[in-house]
Amino acid sequence: MVLNVLKTNLNSLKIVFTILLFICIVSSLVLRDYIIPKRFDDLLGTNDKNITKVFMRDGSNGNSVSTNDRVKIEELLAVLNNLLYRKSFNQQRRTGYSYFYEFYIGNKAVLRITGSGKNVDINGIYYELNQAISKNELREWFNSLPIEASK
């Protein structure tokens, strides 16, 4: 009788352990993007050397700039490459932006970042950054290119 009780308890323990293991695995898969930070290339889905064009719009006045100049593209990438991007738990939509900047490979827009600071929208998903994207650096980069006034 004692042996039967021990077998029943052992089987119950196996079931509980299996359920807990399953919950841990599923949780880690679901929460992975919130826990493990990504690098810029991870978000881009390719090496940043493949970027052929950057378009940027100023949210305060609608003016824009665009460049295919590899040196200018590298300047902007230098601001973004050393950051770590972690998906934010707060995905509530926000309004307004300082700048948005789109990265192109050929004629296809592959990534859009909206905003600056430590919380930005990337292709419609909010990310928290380990360091703020400087609005001043974005402004300097923007102003270093020929500006097209909004219409």
Side-chain angles (χ1 to χ4, degrees), residues 11-148:
N11 285 337
S12 296
L13 221 60
K14 285 180 184 178
I15 291 169
V16 168
F17 178 75
T18 303
I19 291 170
L20 286 174
L21 183 62
F22 178 75
I23 290 171
C24 288
I25 290 170
V26 169
S27 295
S28 68
L29 291 174
V30 170
L31 297 175
R32 176 184 60 205
D33 289 339
Y34 298 95
I35 296 169
I36 301 171
K38 295 181 178 188
R39 304 205 54 81
F40 183 76
D41 282 351
D42 298 329
L43 297 168
L44 189 60
T46 185
N47 188 301
D48 63 27
K49 301 291 183 219
N50 296 327
I51 295 172
T52 56
K53 176 183 169 186
V54 174
F55 173 84
M56 183 182 282
R57 183 170 308 279
D58 183 331
S60 67
N61 57 27
N63 292 344
S64 63
V65 297
S66 179
T67 187
N68 297 23
D69 181 339
R70 191 73 210 158
V71 172
K72 296 305 291 179
I73 292 171
E74 290 290 336
E75 284 177 15
L76 182 58
L77 291 174
V79 173
L80 305 172
N81 267 336
N82 294 324
L83 303 174
L84 296 176
Y85 303 79
R86 183 173 300 144
K87 190 173 181 180
S88 175
F89 283 106
N90 180 2
Q91 291 296 315
Q92 185 174 0
R93 289 283 165 231
R94 295 146 181 107
T95 57
Y97 62 90
S98 51
Y99 292 94
F100 83 71
Y101 22 115
E102 285 183 316
F103 299 89
Y104 288 78
I105 296 177
N107 291 328
K108 183 181 177 195
V110 293
L111 186 80
R112 176 188 276 191
I113 300 176
T114 304
S116 59
K118 288 188 88 168
N119 194 301
V120 296
D121 174 330
I122 301 176
N123 290 345
I125 298 172
Y126 287 97
Y127 287 84
E128 296 172 0
L129 287 65
N130 64 322
Q131 290 177 233
I133 295 173
S134 167
K135 189 193 278 188
N136 289 336
E137 285 182 280
L138 293 177
R139 183 181 303 114
E140 286 175 20
W141 187 87
F142 184 92
N143 289 332
S144 73
L145 293 166
I147 297 173
E148 183 177 316

